[in-house]
Amino acid sequence: MLGQLHDPIAAIATAPGRGAVGIVRVSGTGLAPLVQALCGRPLRAREATYLPFADGQGGALDHGLALFFPAPHSFTGEDVLELQAHGGPVVLELLLARCLAAAAEPEATTGRARLPGLRVARPGEFSERAFRNGKIDLAQAEAIADLIDASTEAAARSASRSLGGAFSREIGTLREALIHLRMLVEATLDFPEEDIDFLQQADAKGQLQGLQQQLAAVQQRARQGALLREGIKVVIAGQPNAGKSSLLNALAGAELAIVSSVAGTTRDVVAQTIQIQGVPLHVVDTAGLRESSDEVEQIGIERAWRQIEQADALLFLHDLTRAQQAQYIAADAAIRERLLAHLPATVPVLEVWNKADAAPGATEAGEAGTGALQLSARTGLGIEALRQRLLEIAGWQALPEGVFLARARHVQALQQMGEHLSQAAALLAQSAPALDLLAEELRLAQGALNAITGEFDAEALLGVIFSRFCIGK
């Protein structure tokens, strides 16, 4: 892989399928001979030119717009050529093939290939080159993919903020404060005669506390950003005929699951992603939990338990119309006991009582004691209260200044930084702190922070991140 970093690359940069316009993109060093071969003339920098794309045999493959971005003022930091043609897949494949063939052909004047080594780009390689050439940092590179993959408007807006550098600027502010603190500690190590008095006079403890407060604020926004990107998995579980499929349909606002009064109708997992205030929630309807001799239903019940074990949050759905039946109460108790054995303590369980419209003497939909909710999936009564409770369970807090889109690895890196800063604070609080250990904790804190924007050497991580991009990105 390292040996291919300087190869010129080409790719179709628009999505597969038909469209009004399709783009073929080329990036590399010294594209002028290739531009001449494809366009028949030099191109002015950053100016769209309408012309025929030469097929190499005196004809034209298509007519369209050509744009040339000379290095370093381009997305990748290299020379970039974009050919905007009609968006038929055959046309674009022919145009890409012509780019590769023209690059290998010898120039009339020199006899050398116009652009030696031109090859089809790997997924994400254009963005990877932008990162390697200092045009964007790693967090911004990830934001490109997140913007393309955004499933909600809020996620798209947050990804756009990250791409614009909002998250990176937050990280940069933290880094500057951390570097200044490291400088103080390192200076004390270099000049031991100054000892701890130097750190006290520079208010190193106060600077560290300020840094921890800044970190806490960034962590909060990063957690919200990760929630916008990842969402949470919410599993609906309960006995047969409690209304699980009806609840899924009510939350989704569509008839996704079959609803029937026949127990055991749902025999497989039905999943749907919904959004509440821009937060994606992956809601999973499962088979009713009970003892069954039906082989197919047993498979569905086992799949339900597997989904429950993977849940980020669980809706334990009950039937208000059977709330006083001893057999029903006993079955619910057995399910609850198994839930406690299968679910980690960190997974929240929300008790929900359905069929409030049909239960005699039921209170109005809302709180039902011990944090439970009453609702009617059939009429929609209480559904909005459930949506708000799901947001609370997810940990969503709409921040007035907006959030930037973040990933789980960003949240983890900030958490690691916080742990090292806590260790540093404990060392600094000692009457005779071990300055070498303090310096090491601060160095490790900066290492965790640098992992977010990519100011480190980790080929394996870069390969994973950029391999998930589109081919032409």
Side-chain angles (χ1 to χ4, degrees), residues 12 16-19 86-94:
I12 298 172
R18 296 180 179 182
H86 292 93
V90 174
V91 173
L92 295 177
E93 289 290 349
L94 287 173

Side-chain angles (χ1 to χ4, degrees), residues 276-277 383-394:
I276 305 175
Q277 295 183 19
I383 294 298
E384 184 57 34
L386 175 59
R387 289 194 177 102
Q388 294 306 312
R389 183 65 69 83
L390 287 172
L391 285 180
E392 293 174 12
I393 289 174

Side-chain angles (χ1 to χ4, degrees), residues 268-343:
D268 205 349
V269 171
V270 180
Q272 176 68 20
T273 297
I274 65 173
Q275 58 168 303
I276 305 175
Q277 295 183 19
V279 178
L281 300 180
H282 314 294
V283 184
V284 180
D285 175 27
T286 59
L289 304 176
R290 66 172 179 175
E291 296 294 330
S292 175
S293 58
D294 186 299
E295 183 179 353
V296 176
E297 188 177 359
Q298 287 177 354
I299 295 173
I301 292 171
E302 285 304 313
R303 290 183 177 179
W305 281 110
R306 285 199 294 271
Q307 291 294 323
I308 289 169
E309 292 169 359
Q310 299 167 6
D312 296 315
L314 182 76
L315 296 185
F316 189 5
L317 194 63
H318 311 281
D319 184 351
L320 268 173
T321 63
R322 293 180 281 171
Q324 304 304 319
Q325 298 177 11
Q327 185 177 359
Y328 183 81
I329 294 172
D332 258 5
I335 293 173
R336 186 176 286 105
E337 183 178 354
R338 186 171 177 183
L339 286 175
L340 292 175
H342 281 72
L343 280 177

Side-chain angles (χ1 to χ4, degrees), residues 27-363:
S27 179
T29 301
L31 297 191
L34 182 65
V35 170
Q36 181 69 39
L38 295 172
C39 303
R41 67 173 102 164
L43 297 176
R44 297 182 64 178
R46 294 173 297 282
E47 183 178 297
T49 304
Y50 179 76
L51 43 72
F53 302 134
D55 63 2
Q57 299 173 351
L61 286 171
D62 195 4
H63 289 69
L65 295 178
L67 295 99
F68 179 59
F69 304 90
H73 305 294
S74 69
F75 173 66
T76 64
E78 303 173 330
D79 289 346
V80 171
L81 173 66
E82 285 194 358
L83 304 176
Q84 300 183 7
H86 292 93
V90 174
V91 173
L92 295 177
E93 289 290 349
L94 287 173
L95 192 54
L96 176 60
R98 177 58 192 148
C99 289
L100 297 172
E105 293 170 355
E107 287 188 82
T109 55
T110 65
R112 295 192 297 269
R114 293 189 178 96
L115 191 61
L118 180 65
R119 58 175 174 80
V120 175
R122 300 187 305 271
E125 193 168 3
F126 286 89
S127 297
E128 181 180 355
R129 292 198 175 190
F131 163 71
R132 292 185 180 279
N133 291 329
K135 306 299 290 186
I136 54 176
D137 62 33
L138 193 55
Q140 290 174 296
E142 290 172 309
I144 295 172
D146 292 338
L147 183 59
I148 293 171
D149 295 336
S151 59
T152 68
E153 180 182 347
R157 290 183 180 277
S158 296
S160 180
R161 280 192 286 270
S162 291
L163 179 57
F167 188 28
S168 301
R169 285 191 291 273
E170 296 270 6
I171 299 304
T173 301
L174 284 175
R175 183 184 296 108
E176 289 178 8
L178 181 55
I179 289 174
H180 187 266
L181 184 57
R182 287 189 65 192
M183 177 188 67
L184 294 176
V185 176
E186 297 288 348
T188 306
L189 283 172
D190 291 339
F191 302 98
E193 63 275 5
E194 299 289 346
D195 203 19
I196 192 63
D197 291 338
F198 178 70
L199 293 179
Q200 291 176 345
Q201 292 171 7
D203 191 23
K205 186 179 296 185
Q207 290 190 37
L208 180 55
Q209 291 174 347
L211 181 57
Q212 289 177 303
Q213 292 173 358
Q214 292 179 44
L215 174 61
V218 175
Q219 281 181 300
Q220 183 186 17
R221 288 193 289 275
R223 281 192 293 267
Q224 300 297 288
L227 181 59
L228 274 180
R229 181 182 184 274
E230 309 286 349
I232 65 168
K233 181 177 181 178
V234 179
V235 176
I236 307 173
Q239 294 188 53
N241 276 351
K244 297 182 296 298
S245 298
S246 297
L247 182 56
L248 172 64
N249 292 343
L251 287 171
E255 296 296 321
L256 302 174
I258 298 173
V259 176
S260 169
S261 60
V262 178
T265 298
T266 302
R267 297 192 171 199
D268 205 349
V269 171
V270 180
Q272 176 68 20
T273 297
I274 65 173
Q275 58 168 303
I276 305 175
Q277 295 183 19
V279 178
L281 300 180
H282 314 294
V283 184
V284 180
D285 175 27
T286 59
L289 304 176
R290 66 172 179 175
E291 296 294 330
S292 175
S293 58
D294 186 299
E295 183 179 353
V296 176
E297 188 177 359
Q298 287 177 354
I299 295 173
I301 292 171
E302 285 304 313
R303 290 183 177 179
W305 281 110
R306 285 199 294 271
Q307 291 294 323
I308 289 169
E309 292 169 359
Q310 299 167 6
D312 296 315
L314 182 76
L315 296 185
F316 189 5
L317 194 63
H318 311 281
D319 184 351
L320 268 173
T321 63
R322 293 180 281 171
Q324 304 304 319
Q325 298 177 11
Q327 185 177 359
Y328 183 81
I329 294 172
D332 258 5
I335 293 173
R336 186 176 286 105
E337 183 178 354
R338 186 171 177 183
L339 286 175
L340 292 175
H342 281 72
L343 280 177
T346 54
V347 176
V349 178
L350 177 58
E351 305 272 353
V352 180
W353 291 87
N354 189 26
K355 305 185 183 180
D357 59 311
T363 60

